[in-house]
Amino acid sequence: MSDRTTSRHTIRTGTAVAAALAVAASLTAASAASAAPAAPAAQTCEAFGTIALGKYYVNNNLWGQDSGQGRQCAWDTYRNGDTIGWGTEWEWSGAAHEVKSFTSTVLGWHWGWRSDATELPVRLSDNRPVRTSWRYAVSADPGTMNVAYDLWLHDRVAEDWEDQPTDEVMIWTYRSGGAGPLGQKTGTVRIGGATWDLYQGDIGWKVHSFVRTSNTTSVDLNLNDFLRALRDRGSVGPEKYLSSVEAGTEVFTGKGRLDTSAYSVDVG
């Protein structure tokens, strides 16, 4: 789960030359797991520091830092149209079962809006595809963490920071160290060629977590398939709005690094 507040510091994106070099390097890599990490174009180690990347931004979201001790940095490596590269590195100790951070990319609402060019919000009843591709490499040994999408739903068009979400939908694609989601397991579904365990809980809004039964570092998904699965189960209503798509790593404890070689979201 991500934080409830965010600061508004912005760090300069890299030059076009650096971006082009990073894109060329990523295209020659066989996979995200085998690609060497690209050099940062811009970096922030400040809690809630941000880096603008076109319609997205990277948020060094250290919302749970008070439950432990440590540090985390985030950086971007390139932007080519709607495809971006970015990364984060962390080292956290403290309460083993409490999240320290959700450093992530943000598209759309996150306790306010930063851009009008996000293609969001969209009403769930419109059934529009939300296609995403994510290639990354992760190291977290020892450590307890997960890599996940985080989607926010509202019962009306969210306008600003005070617009409380009604639902949070997490899609875990990778986890290590015994990381587990909030709530109780309520079923298993098959989406995007993989099997996912579904958990549901409540923290003032409903939290629905799809946890992939096997780890992966490469996904091509239609996020609307997960929202439709919740609608079919009666867990969310068709009148709600998808206002945000975030993607990053939720860290409990340990030392590690996430390198994204290619990430994109397209709302149809």
Side-chain angles (χ1 to χ4, degrees):
M1 295 165 291
S2 66
D3 72 326
R4 317 305 167 225
T5 59
T6 184
S7 65
R8 296 183 178 272
H9 302 286
T10 302
I11 293 183
R12 177 181 57 84
T13 57
T15 65
V17 172
L21 290 173
V23 172
S26 68
L27 291 175
T28 60
S31 67
S34 62
Q43 178 173 283
T44 178
C45 298
E46 178 185 4
F48 310 109
T50 63
I51 303 170
L53 278 169
K55 66 180 183 180
Y56 318 95
Y57 66 92
V58 176
N59 180 13
N60 196 33
N61 185 348
L62 311 188
W63 70 271
Q65 62 182 332
D66 291 343
S67 67
Q69 303 81 41
R71 63 173 185 84
Q72 188 154 359
C73 296
W75 59 85
D76 73 304
T77 52
Y78 76 90
R79 179 170 72 92
N80 181 18
D82 288 340
T83 300
I84 60 173
W86 69 282
T88 180
E89 187 172 24
W90 63 87
E91 186 171 3
W92 291 104
S93 61
H97 302 292
E98 295 189 36
V99 174
K100 309 300 183 295
S101 64
F102 186 64
T103 296
S104 56
T105 63
V106 180
L107 174 70
W109 178 91
H110 184 87
W111 277 263
W113 296 86
R114 286 176 174 267
S115 172
D116 295 327
T118 64
E119 306 165 317
L120 295 171
V122 294
R123 192 177 173 95
L124 300 194
S125 59
D126 292 343
N127 224 15
R128 292 170 62 183
V130 184
R131 303 194 186 281
T132 181
S133 178
W134 196 1
R135 307 285 183 266
Y136 59 86
V138 61
S139 62
D141 187 23
T144 302
M145 52 78 69
N146 67 72
V147 179
Y149 289 89
D150 198 12
L151 316 182
W152 295 103
L153 305 183
H154 286 80
D155 57 6
R156 63 186 182 88
V157 176
E159 295 178 353
D160 211 338
W161 61 269
E162 74 273 12
D163 292 303
Q164 181 88 345
T166 61
D167 299 82
E168 182 177 8
V169 182
M170 297 203 75
I171 302 167
W172 290 30
T173 59
Y174 184 102
R175 61 174 170 164
S176 70
L182 177 77
Q184 302 297 316
K185 182 179 174 181
T186 60
T188 301
V189 297
R190 185 83 179 169
I191 297 175
T195 302
W196 310 77
D197 292 330
L198 175 60
Y199 293 78
Q200 294 185 298
D202 196 307
I203 55 169
W205 54 76
K206 295 179 181 178
V207 180
H208 318 269
S209 300
F210 294 86
V211 180
R212 202 177 193 274
T213 57
S214 61
N215 284 343
T216 186
T217 57
S218 177
V219 294
D220 294 283
L221 298 170
N222 180 357
L223 299 178
N224 189 48
D225 291 341
F226 296 89
L227 300 175
R228 188 161 47 243
L230 293 175
R231 288 170 54 193
D232 291 346
R233 297 171 68 91
S235 299
V236 300
E239 76 285 353
K240 298 200 174 177
Y241 290 86
L242 171 65
S243 54
S244 179
V245 177
E246 303 182 18
T249 181
E250 199 172 37
V251 180
F252 295 78
T253 59
K255 181 178 181 179
R257 177 176 174 131
L258 173 77
D259 285 283
T260 292
S261 61
Y263 174 81
S264 64
V265 179
D266 178 58
V267 181

